[in-house]
Amino acid sequence: MPLENTIIVVDKEPYCIWEVDISEQNEKFLKSIDVEYFDYVLKQNAEAEDDKRASVALQLAYHHALETLFSYIGAYIQAPDCAYAWIAKVQNVQLRSVIEKVSLNDDSLFTKLNIPSISWKNISRLVFQQYMPGTEKQNDTIELFADLWFRLAREFTDDNHAIEYNSMKHGFRVHPGGFGLSVGIEHEYGVPCPKDEMKTVGYSEYGVSLYTLEKVGNQKGSRSLISKNRSFNWRVEKTIILLQLISNSINNIVGALRIANGVSANTIKFLRPVESEFFTKAWGYTPGINNLCFHYTIEEKYVAYRAPCKIACVVS
């Protein structure tokens, strides 16, 4: 059988994909995707007896679902004809770059889509072009998902998101539980404010605490590091709502990919909440303070010119 080939671009990196039948391979991949997986994870944990562990599991699923959604969206933008190869090649830094460019309406981003410019609305319009065409419901759906993806993109590309997700999935280097922050004015220097005068500005029972390591200063080649104690708060209600919206989004993006690959639109089922208010409901739940970071500050001049300690370790 003759070989076929297609060019794909992952952010800015081009590749040539060779296959016996690219369209057939692409459809096999897309059809095999379990678009209901995150619904299953949500149901397994939403009513678990151990609510703190369940909240961590749900938050981890949320991070995973975001990464999955934007991987499919990236493939839809840049390689709808060969989504399986795009997803196999994309790296985290490239995925974040692609999503940032969409949010910035950056037309330097390569796309195979027939859209006038790069934007969440134009992508959403193409995804839902076969959903109740010509109706007010279609226009409403296009606007709502475009706004949702823009909001989710801001969370996905936030550095704190990456820190929390990496610590949770790699070795589970986290301590479960949220934190509270209260402030008050001292009546006397060095004497804590009375507890009954303290004002709570943020609190959540649910969250995680973790350690990160960061460079001391900006000197090139420096091996000096300092630890930072970071804490993250979240509201489980927000996580649950967003998991449902992301699950709907994954279903819809995969459906649009299959239509772009030649599958009849009549066989694709698009999903959305009945009530439009559900799209923004999640952001009404807030712990007040989302994250804190405690650490010592060390000036670079105190470590830049000191030779590192030599430590010998023998394991028997």
Side-chain angles (χ1 to χ4, degrees):
M1 298 181 67
L3 284 174
E4 300 176 353
N5 69 76
T6 187
I7 302 296
I8 69 167
V9 177
V10 180
D11 192 12
K12 297 182 291 185
E13 293 292 326
Y15 299 94
C16 184
I17 308 301
W18 295 87
E19 201 76 67
V20 171
D21 190 328
I22 294 173
S23 180
E24 181 182 4
Q25 185 77 349
N26 202 34
E27 173 58 13
K28 282 182 179 178
F29 167 74
L30 295 171
K31 195 174 181 180
S32 70
I33 294 171
D34 182 1
V35 296
E36 298 179 351
Y37 171 75
F38 292 107
D39 283 329
Y40 170 80
V41 175
L42 173 58
K43 290 173 184 176
Q44 292 295 307
N45 291 282
E47 298 181 0
E49 293 184 4
D50 192 332
D51 57 343
K52 279 194 176 181
R53 282 178 172 163
S55 76
V56 174
L58 286 170
Q59 188 72 3
L60 182 57
Y62 163 66
H63 287 304
H64 186 190
L66 267 188
E67 183 178 57
T68 302
L69 168 63
F70 286 125
S71 294
Y72 293 145
I73 289 179
Y76 183 65
I77 294 168
Q78 294 200 298
D81 59 327
C82 199
Y84 65 92
W86 195 94
I87 290 173
K89 288 301 297 180
V90 70
Q91 298 179 5
N92 288 341
V93 65
Q94 293 171 311
L95 181 58
R96 285 165 62 92
S97 174
V98 168
I99 299 309
E100 284 176 343
K101 287 173 182 175
V102 178
S103 293
L104 294 172
N105 301 340
D106 186 348
D107 284 332
S108 70
L109 180 67
F110 174 84
T111 180
K112 288 186 177 181
L113 300 180
N114 184 20
I115 54 178
S117 61
I118 291 292
S119 71
W120 288 115
K121 186 170 182 180
N122 283 335
I123 293 167
S124 182
R125 185 179 287 117
L126 199 59
V127 169
F128 295 104
Q129 64 180 334
Q130 304 292 342
Y131 175 73
M132 304 180 71
T135 65
E136 187 61 34
K137 188 70 171 286
Q138 182 193 39
N139 292 330
D140 185 51
T141 300
I142 290 169
E143 294 282 353
L144 289 169
F145 274 100
D147 180 66
L148 171 68
W149 296 339
F150 175 75
R151 288 171 180 254
L152 292 175
R154 284 194 302 184
E155 297 206 1
F156 179 70
T157 56
D158 185 273
D159 288 340
N160 285 315
H161 166 96
I163 291 170
E164 182 180 274
Y165 185 29
N166 286 335
S167 291
M168 293 176 77
K169 69 179 179 179
H170 294 305
F172 221 71
R173 303 185 297 266
V174 298
H175 174 75
F179 67 88
L181 179 65
S182 299
V183 297
I185 300 175
E186 295 178 347
H187 296 296
E188 182 181 348
Y189 180 75
V191 179
C193 174
K195 289 186 177 180
D196 59 351
E197 296 181 19
M198 299 286 284
K199 303 295 183 183
T200 300
V201 296
Y203 170 78
S204 177
E205 182 181 355
Y206 304 106
V208 290
S209 293
L210 54 94
Y211 287 100
T212 59
L213 288 175
E214 299 183 17
K215 283 179 61 176
V216 177
N218 298 311
Q219 185 180 6
K220 186 176 180 180
S222 172
R223 311 295 289 183
S224 296
L225 304 173
I226 186 172
S227 66
K228 293 186 177 182
N229 186 2
R230 297 178 182 270
S231 295
F232 296 87
N233 271 352
W234 58 68
R235 291 286 298 271
V236 177
E237 299 93 335
K238 178 182 178 181
T239 305
I240 289 173
I241 292 170
L242 290 182
L243 270 172
Q244 294 175 72
L245 290 169
I246 294 169
S247 183
N248 282 182
S249 296
I250 289 172
N251 174 86
N252 297 335
I253 294 294
V254 172
L257 277 164
R258 295 188 67 197
I259 292 172
N261 202 48
V263 173
S264 172
N266 294 329
T267 65
I268 301 300
K269 182 179 180 180
F270 289 94
L271 300 176
R272 57 153 289 174
V274 175
E275 301 296 333
S276 297
E277 292 75 15
F278 194 76
F279 280 87
T280 56
K281 185 178 180 180
W283 282 273
Y285 295 101
T286 173
I289 300 238
N290 294 318
N291 60 82
L292 281 176
C293 179
F294 293 101
H295 62 95
Y296 293 103
T297 298
I298 301 177
E299 293 185 42
E300 187 175 5
K301 64 182 180 181
Y302 293 120
V303 299
Y305 303 108
R306 293 187 180 183
C309 299
K310 295 182 179 180
I311 301 177
C313 180
V314 177
V315 179
S316 59

